[in-house]
Amino acid sequence: MSARPALADLAVGQVVAQRTVAVSRADLVRYAGASGDRNPIHWSASAATAAGLPDVVAHGMLTMAAGAALVTAWAGDPAAVVEYGVRFTGLVVVPEAVGAELELTAAVGALDAAAGTARLDLVARCDGAAVLGRARALVRLA
Amino acid sequence: MPVDPSAVGRALPPSPVYEVGREALREFAEATAAGAPVHPAHTDPEAARALGHPDVIAPPTFAVVVAQRAEAAFVADPASGVDFARVVHGEQRLTHHRPIVAGDRLVAVVHVDAVRAMAGNELVTLRSEIGTEAGERVCTATSMLVVRAPVATAGEAS
């Protein structure tokens, strides 16, 4: 991987990573298998609509994990992420034909030189609406 | 039946051991790579060692796989009063005391931290203290579950 970012090179407000992620039904099935979360609302349209949802929806944890992947790719070492928290505030609806698009952005929210950490604030949007709230990752850097 | 408020403060018995396998970490990392190459620390022991880890390490949110298995003992227990069909995931927080490494034998102890009612929904906060069989602390995973009122309201379906 590339060189790890240094705390001294960062400024609050700086956007450090951005990515648009395509999410298909196949991705949901794959996550269901890898995570053990087999709730049918994530792969069966009839189960989703019976639960009052517009269509199959992505696992909230898949969106949270996509945010983590964005952060770890930037940090250089996945173990640098010492804290990570999100609120699930919106649905990622994944129609069978076209799937969904997730727009992810990570920006520096705070720097703590004494602790050697940067707080990254993540934004995740789908169809123009935020799907995560207070999504924050605390990353230990040199 | 509402969620049993007397459960607050209770700790469940330790979960069965979850043994972390290299291939499980690879599959999880590949399923969550979000359109980019998988970080080699999740798949290549040499790359992980180059970063100072004893073996391949888990992506940050893998801990929730371990936590959710343990939480299921509460959520699926009829005595807890949680209607699983109405549960959505409200919040998730993770504090990593050290990375999860292939070969770890993990045990989770679930604590019921809070049960409260809000706008007809019930909010249940479960904290899983994940550690090794030998007692080393590895991760604290806190999940806030929303048990929705029978009429659908806001929240993320999970």
Side-chain angles (χ1 to χ4, degrees):
Chain A
M1 302 302 278
S2 54
R4 301 194 50 199
L7 207 53
D9 297 337
L10 301 176
V12 171
Q14 184 184 347
V15 173
V16 296
Q18 230 166 353
R19 197 187 283 177
T20 300
V21 181
V23 181
S24 70
R25 289 284 178 88
D27 294 322
L28 303 191
V29 170
R30 189 175 206 186
Y31 184 76
S35 68
D37 183 341
R38 301 184 189 88
N39 189 331
I41 62 169
H42 303 305
W43 49 266
S44 161
S46 59
T49 51
L53 298 163
D55 198 344
V56 164
V57 296
H59 306 74
M61 282 309 306
L62 178 56
T63 302
M64 185 179 183
L70 184 75
V71 172
T72 57
W74 169 79
D77 181 355
V81 178
V82 290
E83 285 182 36
Y84 183 32
V86 307
R87 289 180 185 163
F88 300 105
T89 57
L91 296 169
V92 176
V93 179
V94 184
E96 185 173 7
V98 294
E101 254 189 10
L102 207 52
E103 296 164 58
L104 301 171
T105 307
V108 178
L111 294 166
D112 186 337
T117 57
R119 192 190 83 212
L120 296 190
D121 295 350
L122 284 96
V123 175
R125 301 180 78 81
C126 181
D127 280 332
V131 294
L132 297 180
R134 271 186 85 82
R136 294 172 165 187
L138 195 68
V139 184
R140 190 175 289 138
L141 298 172
Chain B
M1 186 175 83
V3 179
D4 176 12
S6 75
V8 174
R10 212 172 90 201
L12 273 60
S15 69
V17 170
Y18 181 100
E19 185 167 324
V20 180
R22 282 182 180 168
E23 293 306 324
L25 296 185
R26 173 194 295 278
E27 283 173 19
F28 188 86
E30 288 177 345
T32 57
V38 174
H39 196 293
H42 303 312
T43 57
D44 176 0
E46 285 309 314
R49 283 184 200 113
L51 290 170
H53 308 301
D55 204 321
V56 291
I57 61 169
T61 65
F62 182 80
V64 177
V65 173
V66 181
Q68 283 183 345
R69 287 187 184 211
E71 289 171 8
F74 179 79
V75 174
D77 179 1
S80 71
V82 175
D83 180 353
F84 184 61
R86 294 191 284 127
V87 169
V88 298
H89 205 166
E91 290 181 30
Q92 182 67 52
R93 281 200 313 277
L94 295 164
T95 302
H96 293 285
H97 311 299
R98 69 143 167 89
I100 291 175
V101 183
D104 277 343
R105 289 175 56 80
L106 301 175
V107 174
V109 175
V110 175
H111 299 258
V112 183
D113 275 358
V115 174
R116 58 203 171 93
M118 202 172 80
N121 299 326
E122 292 172 295
L123 312 184
V124 181
T125 303
L126 301 177
R127 169 173 48 90
S128 295
E129 294 291 351
I130 301 171
T132 64
E133 239 180 342
E136 184 190 3
R137 293 182 84 200
V138 175
C139 180
T140 302
T142 306
S143 310
M144 197 272 279
L145 307 177
V146 182
V147 187
R148 290 185 299 172
V151 176
T153 52
E156 187 278 329
S158 180

